[in-house]
């Protein structure tokens, strides 16, 4: 057994290892749950007659993006040019950067990338359109450009209504740019706890989209796509009749925060399963009711709260850089035990890791790189 056959250095596991042998802390995937989530969202989109363009900022993985596309997704979303570059290099053929890009070098990179894949980007002012037009003219490529509308997030985007009209006209007038439609996403609406709150928030979002569509229609401009929606609200956008494409991301993995969303019946029952965990190792058990694991702030972000233990009766009670303190009232844990933790928020947690360890039936089936880890530029 040579050094290359053992975990360590860069690798948290080897194919064929059991879950109990995976080197902790590690980012692990339940492949059955992941496949079920991808198939379920694809089926939901199909049944609503809406295209699915999953957000890859969540998983940053070319392997998972290609699984989503194989299941029927029209392409993927990215948030950053470098994220898109990494995924296109790995074989993804259709990317929407659901974001504004305003930097000369980034624009040149984006325009070049459009020579290698079908690429779209968002814009929210006239200067942005002019910069995109100049970049594609220089590169000799074509870009699809969506006008972002601020539908309630108070982040990027033009005001709902007529403000989108001159931008769409400028895009239509620019050689090398095509008008891709509207980007209309409201992140805060996803995490409202009751379905009634999410329905009401999404109704307000849809109203703002309709107002914008009416202004574009009055100006004689056809809108080929309205893109938005996330894991918390997609059924409402999907049923609205105005959205043509959904950008859900977290559904593939889920996290503890999404686990607290309630369905229309007030139950905790999300149709999506937890597919991503941080696998921790128990490293200390010195007193009754208490244990310590090796997964802390460096392997999970906690802005959406502490991780939730997947093991019944064990509570993740506190985090420091390299440790997690566990309440273990039944004293079920032993040093060396593995413990699956459901992180509070999937997206930023993934970005802390180099590898996914894919497990099926308790055995490591694959090791996938977090392809676009650190690609924030
Ligand atoms: N679209 C955009 C523009 C986003 O910023 C996000 C996430 O923040 C999503 C889609 C995906 O949302 P979710 O992970 O809640 O499904
Ligand atoms: Mn998120």
């Amino acid at each position: 057994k040579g050094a290359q056959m053992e975990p360590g250095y860069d690798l948290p596991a080897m194919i064929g290892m059991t879950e109990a042998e995976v080197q902790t802390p590690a980012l692990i995937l339940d492949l059955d749950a992941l496949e079920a989530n991808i198939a379920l969202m694809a089926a939901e989109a199909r049944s609503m007659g809406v295209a699915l363009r999953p957000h890859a900022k969540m998983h940053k993985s070319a392997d998972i993006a290609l699984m989503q596309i194989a299941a029927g997704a029209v392409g993927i979303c990215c948030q950053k040019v470098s994220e898109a570059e990494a995924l296109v290099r790995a074989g993804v053929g259709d990317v929407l950067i659901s974001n504004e890009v305003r930097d000369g070098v980034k624009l040149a990179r984006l325009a070049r990338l459009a020579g290698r894949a079908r690429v779209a980007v968002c814009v929210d002012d006239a200067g942005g359109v002019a910069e995109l037009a100049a970049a594609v003219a220089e590169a000799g490529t074509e870009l699809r450009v969506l006008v972002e509308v601020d539908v309630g997030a108070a982040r990027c985007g033009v005001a709902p209504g007529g403000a989108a009209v001159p931008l769409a006209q400028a895009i239509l007038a620019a050689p090398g740019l095509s008008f891709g439609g509207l980007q209309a996403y409201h992140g805060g609406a996803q995490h409202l706890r009751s379905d009634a709150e999410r329905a009401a928030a999404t109704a307000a979002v849809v109203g703002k989209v309709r107002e914008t569509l009416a202004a574009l229609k009055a100006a004689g401009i056809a809108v080929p796509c309205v893109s938005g929606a996330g894991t918390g609200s997609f059924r409402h956008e999907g049923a609205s009749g105005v959205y043509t494409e959904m950008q859900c991301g977290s559904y593939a993995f889920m996290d503890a925060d999404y686990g607290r969303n309630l369905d229309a019946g007030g139950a905790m029952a999300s149709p999506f399963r937890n597919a991503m965990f941080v696998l921790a190792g128990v490293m200390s058990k010195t007193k009754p009711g208490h244990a310590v694991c090796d997964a802390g702030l460096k392997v999970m972000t906690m802005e959406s709260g502490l991780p939730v233990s997947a093991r019944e009766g064990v509570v993740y009670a506190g985090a420091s850089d390299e440790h997690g303190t566990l309440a273990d009232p039944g004293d079920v844990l032993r040093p060396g035990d593995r413990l699956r933790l459901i992180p509070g928020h999937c997206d930023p947690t993934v970005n802390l890791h180099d590898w996914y360890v894919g497990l099926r039936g308790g055995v490591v089936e694959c090791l996938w790189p977090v392809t676009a880890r650190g690609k924030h530029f």
Side-chain angles (χ1 to χ4, degrees), residues 74-97:
V74 295
I76 56 147
C77 297
C78 283
Q79 214 70 307
K80 301 295 175 76
V81 178
S82 56
E83 207 170 50
E85 287 168 334
L87 295 179
V88 167
R89 183 187 297 158
V92 172
D94 188 328
V95 180
L96 162 62
I97 296 182

Side-chain angles (χ1 to χ4, degrees), residues 270-355:
S270 165
F272 301 103
R273 292 158 58 183
N274 286 112
M276 183 273 279
F277 304 85
V278 167
L279 188 69
V282 177
M283 55 195 278
S284 172
K285 176 79 186 157
T286 55
K287 46 183 180 281
H290 173 88
V292 182
C293 72
D294 58 8
L297 292 168
K298 289 195 185 174
V299 293
M300 292 170 289
T301 69
M302 312 232 177
E303 72 289 347
S304 300
L306 294 173
V308 170
S309 158
R311 180 141 166 196
E312 199 121 348
V314 174
V315 175
Y316 190 101
S320 50
D321 289 356
E322 318 283 358
H323 298 85
T325 50
L326 304 166
D328 177 20
D331 291 315
V332 296
L333 296 174
R334 297 286 170 270
D337 282 358
R338 297 295 191 270
L339 180 67
R340 287 184 175 200
L341 300 171
I342 303 163
H345 189 185
C346 48
D347 316 46
T349 293
V350 162
N351 189 57
L352 299 172
H353 296 262
D354 288 324
W355 292 98

Side-chain angles (χ1 to χ4, degrees), residues 55 57 79 98 155 183 185 190 229-231 247-250 258:
H55 217 304
K57 82 179 171 68
Q79 214 70 307
S98 58
R155 201 165 61 178
Q183 165 73 18
Y185 176 75
Q190 307 306 317
T231 300
Q247 305 181 346
C248 312
S250 302
Y258 260 128

Side-chain angles (χ1 to χ4, degrees), residues 2-277:
Q4 287 165 320
M5 299 300 291
E6 292 170 12
Y9 297 97
D10 295 326
L11 290 177
M14 298 301 293
I15 289 166
M17 274 184 161
T18 65
E19 184 164 340
E21 293 173 317
V22 170
Q23 296 302 284
T24 58
L27 194 60
I28 65 166
L29 295 177
D30 175 333
L31 294 171
D32 288 328
L34 174 65
E35 289 168 6
N37 291 346
I38 289 173
L40 179 59
M41 185 60 90
E44 292 270 3
R46 220 175 289 125
S47 76
M48 292 190 290
V50 180
L52 179 63
R53 179 182 287 280
H55 217 304
K57 82 179 171 68
M58 193 282 283
H59 52 65
K60 289 178 165 284
S61 159
D63 297 274
I64 297 171
L66 293 170
M67 282 170 71
Q68 290 172 315
I69 290 167
V74 295
I76 56 147
C77 297
C78 283
Q79 214 70 307
K80 301 295 175 76
V81 178
S82 56
E83 207 170 50
E85 287 168 334
L87 295 179
V88 167
R89 183 187 297 158
V92 172
D94 188 328
V95 180
L96 162 62
I97 296 182
S98 58
N99 220 345
E100 284 68 22
V101 176
R102 301 298 295 270
D103 167 86
V105 177
K106 282 193 179 75
L107 286 158
R109 287 164 47 210
L110 179 68
R112 279 199 300 275
L113 192 67
R116 302 178 52 191
R118 183 168 188 258
V119 177
V121 67
C122 297
V123 81
D124 64 1
D125 82 354
V129 179
E131 288 173 19
L132 288 170
V136 292
E138 176 71 26
T141 56
E142 289 177 9
L143 272 174
R144 216 157 54 84
V145 184
L146 282 71
V147 174
E148 179 163 10
V149 181
D150 177 4
V151 289
R155 201 165 61 178
C156 302
V158 299
V165 172
L167 295 188
Q169 285 166 336
I171 295 164
L172 288 163
L177 301 184
S178 60
F179 177 50
L182 300 179
Q183 165 73 18
Y185 176 75
H186 186 355
Q190 307 306 317
H191 303 273
L192 299 170
R193 288 300 169 227
S194 78
D195 190 65
E197 289 172 296
R198 294 194 300 279
T202 311
V205 165
V206 168
K208 290 171 180 160
V209 173
R210 282 191 203 285
E211 199 186 323
T212 311
L213 290 173
L216 288 161
K217 188 173 180 194
I221 298 170
V223 180
C225 173
V226 176
S227 194
T231 300
S233 69
F234 72 92
R235 285 212 180 84
H236 304 301
E237 283 96 340
S240 68
V242 304
Y243 278 80
T244 65
E245 184 177 276
M246 305 196 300
Q247 305 181 346
C248 312
S250 302
Y251 76 94
F253 288 177
M254 297 299 284
D255 56 29
D257 185 79
Y258 260 128
R260 290 186 276 269
N261 270 15
L262 306 175
D263 70 13
M268 285 283 203
S270 165
F272 301 103
R273 292 158 58 183
N274 286 112
M276 183 273 279
F277 304 85

